[in-house]
Amino acid sequence: MMLSRAKPAVGGDLPHTDKRKKKGRKIPKLEELLSQRDFTGAITLLEFKRHVGEQEEDTNLWIGYCAFHLGDYKRALEEYENATKEETCNPEVWVNLACTYFFLGMYKQAEAAGFKAPKSRLQNRLLFHLAHKFNDEKKLMNFHQNLQDITEDQLSLASIHYMRSHYQEAIDIYKRILLDNREYLALNVYVALCYYKLDYYDVSQEVLAVYLQQIPDSTIALNLKACNHFRLYNGKAAEAELKSLMDNASSSFEFAKELIKHNLVVFRGGEGALQVLPPLVDVIPEARLNLVIYYLRQDDVQEAYNLIKDLEPTTPQEYILKGVVNAALGQEMGSRDHMKIAQQFFQLVGGSASECDTIPGRQCMASCFFLLKQFDDVLIYLNSFKSYFYNDDIFNFNYAQAKAATGNTSEGEEVFLLIQSEKLKNDYIYLSWLARCYIMNKKPRLAWELYLKMETSGESFSLLQLIANDCYKMGQFYYSAKAFDVLERLDPNPEYWEGKRGACVGIFQMILAGREPKETLREVLHLLRSTGNTQVEYIIRIMKKWAKENRVPV
């Protein structure tokens, strides 16, 4: 799910020029346009003045300022760079240039320009955010200490908390600012974003409504509302919200086209993923993750791995996805190394203080113990959130396996039969575990029917082996003999004859003990006659002799 990130509060100040001169020279109409935040009109006016030779000394700074606030960072960059080349350049222009570099993702250049600027609160905020981008904890703490209890600095701190997944800390700051500044409506969107990230989708919706009452056509707010609907309801409800956004798009819609295209793919369950997501991988962070998820759902594990292998995870979602991909690849390749990496990622998330009591955190611990085959521990975690996933096929698939692995095959069978997905029901893991549950629950005929429905393949051969051996262990010799008979025909391995011989003798013993119908003897003899082993005639002779003495037709 892609949400627009809270923007760092680094570029909100006016260009730093000589204010005493500005008072004497400011064009009244320009001042009026700026007060109305009509930045497009302001640029048009300034360019006209420049064209007719009435350019003021700080025209390029004002054009840069307006372009920046219109999101045209390349134009702003051009104006600010030209300003730095002038002999009379005010050194404070460097911080505005640095902010522009920052929003263009040119972080090294932003840092170099930022250090050329005089010390100021804006410079400190900028360098604070750059330290976060560079993962430089020492610098981050130094600039953090320089922050003051003023709105801009606190907003900047909240932004860093948000980007470091410290959502509750960000909420606390936003709420404190809102108490004294109710008119700062946009902060409600940031609070709603934080609640969304904390999985409190209903609370996020309530907070967001405050903003949407005043700004009903906000792209970011409507997109967040759609994301909440996706989590609370389904993709169709979410898409309806986005349709409303596209039908009534404001001027702010243009910049969010890619965001909305991305989210439509998510809401539609991956439809159009290969057309939309690849170009967005380096534009929208979630695009890479959602493309990985798409490949996993298409069983293209290698492509998923190629896309995520070089990603350094920083959020729980990234750690979880890397764990899932490594687990899938490890199972596909039989690689212990990948399985070990997956187990470590799951343990890291599930054991973290911020995630240990969340459902994803507990899912991670269950996955970790699943890979370690510690199924009693798996069940402890799965039981803790079972009520939220009653009709979830993936949850039931894992829960049933854990139940069966701990010997509770009766409940394991019940949960396996709750699964609706045809893809899962045709998976060999599902078939083999369900067959084992049937056998352990004294329903071998149902296990045999699972085999009969399968196409001839390596998996059907493996299922035959499971039925043959498990039925033998459970004293269900009739279906064991049938399975060993098919195995012997497919592969003349002496072990299959030995298994069939033992199963047939076992059936005969059960007939003698009155625990199996006498009529079954006819089929036992038929199974034995299909074998060319020299021992067969002796066994058949004994069985036929008993049948004759007891008047059993064979």
Side-chain angles (χ1 to χ4, degrees):
M1 178 65 52
M2 171 60 198
L3 295 172
S4 175
R5 291 189 180 277
K7 291 287 177 69
V10 295
D13 291 3
L14 296 177
H16 294 266
T17 56
D18 188 326
K19 293 181 181 178
R20 291 171 299 173
K21 290 181 181 178
K22 194 186 299 177
K23 284 179 182 176
R25 292 184 284 99
K26 186 174 284 185
I27 307 163
K29 192 170 182 184
L30 174 61
E31 188 174 32
E32 181 184 335
L33 291 168
L34 291 173
S35 68
Q36 296 170 355
R37 300 186 70 79
D38 182 2
F39 301 118
T40 303
I43 288 178
T44 303
L45 174 65
L46 289 163
E47 286 179 334
F48 174 76
K49 292 280 187 181
R50 178 185 281 175
H51 181 70
V52 298
E54 296 180 17
Q55 177 173 325
E56 300 291 344
E57 188 179 322
D58 55 358
T59 295
N60 51 5
L61 298 183
W62 280 117
I63 292 177
Y65 173 80
C66 294
F68 183 96
H69 282 79
L70 285 170
D72 188 354
Y73 303 120
K74 288 183 179 178
R75 175 68 190 279
L77 180 66
E78 181 185 330
E79 296 293 339
Y80 286 139
E81 282 185 335
N82 288 337
T84 61
K85 295 170 185 173
E86 296 176 359
E87 289 184 13
T88 57
C89 168
N90 187 322
E92 291 185 353
V93 172
W94 286 102
V95 76
N96 293 306
L97 175 61
C99 289
T100 309
Y101 278 132
F102 183 95
F103 275 80
L104 285 168
M106 302 165 70
Y107 302 126
K108 287 288 184 185
Q109 294 91 327
E111 185 178 47
F115 278 121
K116 291 180 180 179
K119 288 187 179 298
S120 66
R121 294 197 301 268
L122 177 56
Q123 184 216 37
N124 185 73
R125 291 196 296 273
L126 173 70
L127 297 176
F128 181 45
H129 279 273
L130 285 167
H132 166 72
K133 292 292 183 186
F134 296 140
N135 292 315
D136 190 328
E137 289 294 316
K138 187 176 179 181
K139 283 185 179 179
L140 186 82
M141 294 312 297
N142 285 339
F143 295 123
H144 186 180
Q145 289 170 1
N146 294 334
L147 295 176
Q148 298 175 22
D149 191 16
I150 58 173
T151 301
E152 291 87 347
D153 282 8
Q154 290 303 302
L155 286 175
S156 206
L157 177 58
S159 176
I160 292 293
H161 279 314
Y162 178 90
M163 290 186 285
R164 290 165 72 90
S165 302
H166 302 157
Y167 303 118
Q168 189 57 56
E169 289 86 343
I171 289 171
D172 293 342
I173 293 173
Y174 290 137
K175 284 187 172 179
R176 191 168 65 247
I177 295 172
L178 273 168
L179 279 174
D180 298 324
N181 303 276
R182 291 287 179 188
E183 70 278 13
Y184 291 180
L185 284 173
L187 295 190
N188 289 289
V189 180
Y190 289 175
V191 173
L193 275 165
C194 292
Y195 279 124
Y196 176 91
K197 291 289 191 177
L198 289 170
D199 298 340
Y200 294 129
Y201 308 117
D202 48 351
V203 180
S204 174
Q205 207 71 321
E206 289 175 16
V207 176
L208 195 60
V210 176
Y211 182 78
L212 283 171
Q213 284 174 359
Q214 302 295 321
I215 319 289
D217 64 344
S218 164
T219 303
I220 296 302
L222 288 172
N223 177 65
L224 177 54
K225 185 180 179 183
C227 293
N228 280 325
H229 276 244
F230 179 69
R231 296 297 189 180
L232 290 168
Y233 310 112
N234 52 46
K236 283 188 177 179
E239 190 175 343
E241 290 299 325
L242 278 194
K243 187 176 186 306
S244 164
L245 169 59
M246 290 183 283
D247 290 345
N248 303 291
S250 67
S251 58
S252 65
F253 172 74
E254 195 65 28
F255 84 95
K257 275 186 176 177
E258 291 175 336
L259 175 71
I260 289 167
K261 281 166 62 180
H262 172 279
N263 280 357
L264 281 174
V265 170
V266 176
F267 298 159
R268 292 170 180 171
E271 183 185 321
L274 292 180
Q275 289 74 38
V276 175
L277 298 183
L280 301 179
V281 161
D282 295 319
V283 179
I284 297 173
E286 286 84 349
R288 181 182 297 273
L289 306 184
N290 284 317
L291 189 54
V292 169
I293 292 168
Y294 173 80
Y295 282 132
L296 287 175
R297 287 177 174 168
Q298 301 302 310
D299 294 324
D300 195 343
V301 179
Q302 190 60 54
E303 275 299 322
Y305 178 72
N306 292 341
L307 197 58
I308 205 171
K309 64 182 178 181
D310 296 324
L311 175 72
E312 287 297 328
T314 57
T315 66
Q317 291 78 14
E318 290 170 348
Y319 278 102
I320 292 169
L321 196 53
K322 284 206 79 165
V324 170
V325 171
N326 276 282
L329 191 64
Q331 289 172 328
E332 191 173 271
M333 296 172 56
S335 166
R336 285 190 174 185
D337 289 340
H338 285 296
M339 300 291 272
K340 181 70 175 175
I341 291 168
Q343 180 251 314
Q344 289 172 342
F345 278 135
F346 291 140
Q347 191 168 15
L348 194 65
V349 176
S352 67
S354 62
E355 298 297 315
C356 63
D357 288 326
T358 66
I359 289 177
R362 293 183 183 188
Q363 285 176 311
C364 282
M365 288 309 298
S367 300
C368 170
F369 286 122
F370 205 107
L371 294 178
L372 293 170
K373 300 188 186 303
Q374 298 176 17
F375 294 105
D376 286 320
D377 293 317
V378 170
L379 288 173
I380 290 172
Y381 283 97
L382 292 184
N383 279 322
S384 71
F385 55 85
K386 178 185 173 185
S387 59
Y388 295 95
F389 291 90
Y390 180 77
N391 290 318
D392 186 283
D393 282 347
I394 299 295
F395 175 86
N396 286 332
F397 185 54
N398 292 323
Y399 189 69
Q401 287 180 72
K403 280 289 183 182
T406 54
N408 192 344
T409 52
S410 177
E411 194 170 344
E413 177 190 334
E414 288 178 20
V415 179
F416 272 125
L417 294 177
L418 290 174
I419 293 171
Q420 300 297 312
S421 165
E422 289 301 321
K423 182 180 178 183
L424 286 178
K425 287 161 77 172
N426 288 316
D427 189 289
Y428 177 71
I429 300 296
Y430 174 90
L431 293 168
S432 59
W433 272 109
L434 181 56
R436 176 158 285 168
C437 288
Y438 281 147
I439 293 165
M440 298 301 165
N441 297 337
K442 301 180 181 178
K443 302 173 184 177
R445 181 179 62 82
L446 295 176
W448 182 249
E449 287 175 0
L450 287 177
Y451 160 71
L452 293 178
K453 291 174 184 175
M454 292 182 74
E455 299 286 336
T456 302
S457 64
E459 289 182 348
S460 66
F461 190 83
S462 297
L463 188 63
L464 267 177
Q465 291 177 311
L466 183 149
I467 292 171
N469 289 299
D470 279 15
C471 282
Y472 196 99
K473 290 174 190 172
M474 294 297 292
Q476 297 160 3
F477 296 117
Y478 176 68
Y479 285 100
S480 177
K482 285 171 75 73
F484 275 124
D485 179 60
V486 178
L487 286 169
E488 187 188 25
R489 295 183 196 190
L490 295 170
D491 179 6
N493 187 324
E495 289 183 3
Y496 296 140
W497 154 244
E498 291 169 7
K500 184 167 85 168
R501 180 188 64 193
C504 287
V505 171
I507 297 170
F508 186 52
Q509 287 178 324
M510 293 179 76
I511 291 171
L512 294 177
R515 291 165 54 198
E516 189 76 37
K518 293 178 182 179
E519 292 75 16
T520 309
L521 188 60
R522 180 182 294 174
E523 192 165 350
V524 172
L525 291 170
H526 176 72
L527 291 173
L528 287 168
R529 288 189 183 110
S530 68
T531 302
N533 194 286
T534 54
Q535 299 173 354
V536 169
E537 289 306 319
Y538 175 71
I539 298 170
I540 288 176
R541 193 161 56 246
I542 291 173
M543 289 181 176
K544 287 178 76 173
K545 181 183 176 185
W546 178 87
K548 185 177 180 181
E549 290 171 354
N550 290 272
R551 297 178 182 179
V552 177
V554 293

